[in-house]
Amino acid sequence: MDIHLHDVSHKPVLAILTVDDDNGLFRGNRNNFIDLIKTGRDLGFLVYVATCKELKLNNKRIIGFTYNAESKTWLQQLFPLPHVVYNRIPFRKDELLPESQRAIDSCLRHPNIRIFNPAFFNKWHLFEWLKKSKSTRKYIPATRKLTTAAEFGKLLKQHTVLYLKPERGKAGVGIMRAKQTTNKEHPFRLTVQDEKGSHTYRFTTLSKLWSKLSRFTGDEDYIAQQGIQLASVSQRPFDLRLLVQKNYKGQWDVTGIGARVAGVLSITTHVPRGGSIDDPEKLLTVSFGSEIAKKLMVKAKHAAHLIARQVEKGAGHSLGEMSMDMGVDEKGNIWFFEANAKPMKFDEPHIRKKSLERIFQYSMHLSKHWQVKSGGG
């Protein structure tokens, strides 16, 4: 069946880009795709899921998927070429496949198609970009590449707590914490987080810690980052999750702020690792009082605007959204920990609803901007 634009002809066609799976469908968060298709329909947009394999921009029509809510099934149909491509390839390994790179490159080169968020972020690159600007440098904890035992020892002596993160990690997987304590018998500790929880190892010497750490990191590139003493409630540290998206004017805006509280035995606040969701202003009020809490919310939003602009500048590509992990230390200072180019769904309903609408607002901006540049109507 061939889908025509009909009443959505004045609005851009949006393709959600992913990769195919072994079952004749596609990978990715299908519930998220269903929400996007439904929101698009409600706003008068044509939205479909396209796989890298089928995204052939030389054709007039593309084989894609739409969702039938009544039968709760995915239907494969022919669709018009998209005006805007929203990259939701779920994993780095999928995005690095030749087929995926070909599809992304063809979108970037196409004169009439706009793609945003063409690639995952690399954690090290993020900090390199943010160090280049005075306005963002102040939000960054001391961060180094994890290279030699000597460099690691020097950094641990300086900060006593380090977080070790894979450069290409996601959702807290692979994060470790190294700590130098006052315990004379076992002064060095390494806490390793996995799907089942956290395991702490104690060492008599730094070299033994490094040896164990090296076994865990293997061939993967890691960064070492200064541990920040986060504000906490009931002895459980919390941080802020910000969703930053572009609006209908093509300007960065904070869609919403959530809070994540660390699990009882967890070294991070990630929900899949035992963290829980809470209200950010409530937590900040408990820690700092209501007046300072309101100011900190404003400061966090301001920092997010600056960081988003600088990250986009460093990336060298058009970005439409990113989520950020930021922390507030016990003194009320704002810190940036990481950004994700493929934000996970925010569970807070008001943030979720607005986040879906923003995708279409920005798509409208991209489409209008292209029409003006190309002399279209």
Side-chain angles (χ1 to χ4, degrees), residues 26-309:
F26 47 84
R27 291 185 192 168
N29 187 330
R30 290 181 195 160
N31 287 331
N32 186 34
F33 298 169
I34 291 168
D35 289 348
L36 281 161
I37 289 168
K38 185 182 182 304
T39 303
R41 280 178 187 157
D42 292 346
L43 296 172
F45 287 78
L46 177 61
V47 190
Y48 61 91
V49 177
T51 64
C52 291
K53 188 178 179 180
E54 296 295 344
L55 193 73
K56 296 164 185 171
L57 302 182
N58 293 328
N59 297 346
K60 288 186 178 179
R61 291 284 184 267
I62 286 172
I63 297 171
F65 294 89
T66 188
Y67 187 73
N68 186 311
E70 288 179 14
S71 62
K72 295 184 179 178
T73 55
W74 288 96
L75 306 174
Q76 201 170 39
Q77 297 174 346
L78 280 171
F79 292 91
L81 280 177
H83 299 100
V84 178
V85 175
Y86 178 32
N87 180 9
R88 290 301 306 191
I89 298 172
F91 301 109
R92 289 172 194 272
K93 66 178 190 295
D94 292 331
E95 198 172 78
L96 293 171
L97 292 169
E99 197 171 75
S100 302
Q101 290 299 304
R102 176 203 59 78
I104 291 166
D105 288 344
S106 66
C107 291
L108 288 168
R109 288 196 311 268
H110 200 285
N112 302 343
I113 292 173
R114 293 287 169 267
I115 182 170
F116 60 93
N117 290 43
F120 279 99
F121 295 142
N122 171 293
K123 284 187 178 67
W124 177 249
H125 293 163
L126 280 174
F127 290 101
E128 287 287 279
W129 298 336
L130 295 174
K131 280 178 198 170
K132 288 177 181 175
S133 170
K134 273 186 183 177
S135 66
T136 53
R137 204 179 296 147
K138 60 186 176 184
Y139 299 115
I140 305 170
T143 306
R144 302 278 185 279
K145 268 184 176 284
L146 193 61
T147 50
T148 64
E151 183 70 30
F152 170 70
K154 189 178 165 185
L155 206 57
L156 187 59
K157 194 175 182 181
Q158 200 175 344
H159 298 292
T160 68
V161 177
L162 295 176
Y163 276 84
L164 312 162
K165 304 175 180 181
E167 285 186 26
R168 295 169 179 83
K170 188 181 178 185
V173 176
I175 292 180
M176 296 176 272
R177 183 180 65 195
K179 203 171 184 178
Q180 186 167 349
T181 70
T182 52
N183 184 302
K184 288 180 181 177
E185 204 174 320
H186 296 94
F188 300 102
R189 291 181 188 180
L190 180 68
T191 303
V192 180
Q193 183 169 274
D194 60 24
E195 281 76 10
K196 294 175 183 176
S198 298
H199 308 277
T200 299
Y201 305 88
R202 292 167 174 80
F203 305 95
T204 52
T205 65
L206 183 68
S207 62
K208 286 180 180 177
L209 188 160
W210 176 258
S211 177
K212 186 78 168 177
L213 177 59
S214 299
R215 284 205 290 276
F216 279 118
T217 57
D219 295 331
E220 203 163 350
D221 293 327
Y222 265 70
I223 60 170
Q225 191 172 79
Q226 169 193 357
I228 301 296
Q229 197 70 43
L230 291 173
S232 60
V233 171
S234 303
Q235 296 183 315
R236 290 171 65 189
F238 64 89
D239 65 13
L240 308 178
R241 275 316 132 84
L242 294 90
L243 181 60
V244 193
Q245 294 175 294
K246 282 187 179 168
N247 56 26
Y248 65 95
K249 292 180 179 175
Q251 297 168 342
W252 287 110
D253 203 356
V254 176
T255 301
I257 304 179
R260 304 292 181 265
V261 185
V264 178
L265 298 172
S266 178
I267 61 171
T268 72
T269 62
H270 294 88
V271 173
R273 315 268 87 77
S276 58
I277 295 163
D278 213 322
D279 177 72
E281 199 163 331
K282 184 191 92 176
L283 296 174
L284 290 168
T285 299
V286 172
S287 295
F288 299 99
S290 61
E291 199 175 316
I292 293 173
K294 284 183 172 66
K295 287 179 182 175
L296 287 170
M297 291 287 281
V298 172
K299 279 185 180 178
K301 286 180 182 179
H302 176 66
H305 277 108
L306 295 173
I307 290 164
R309 285 201 290 267

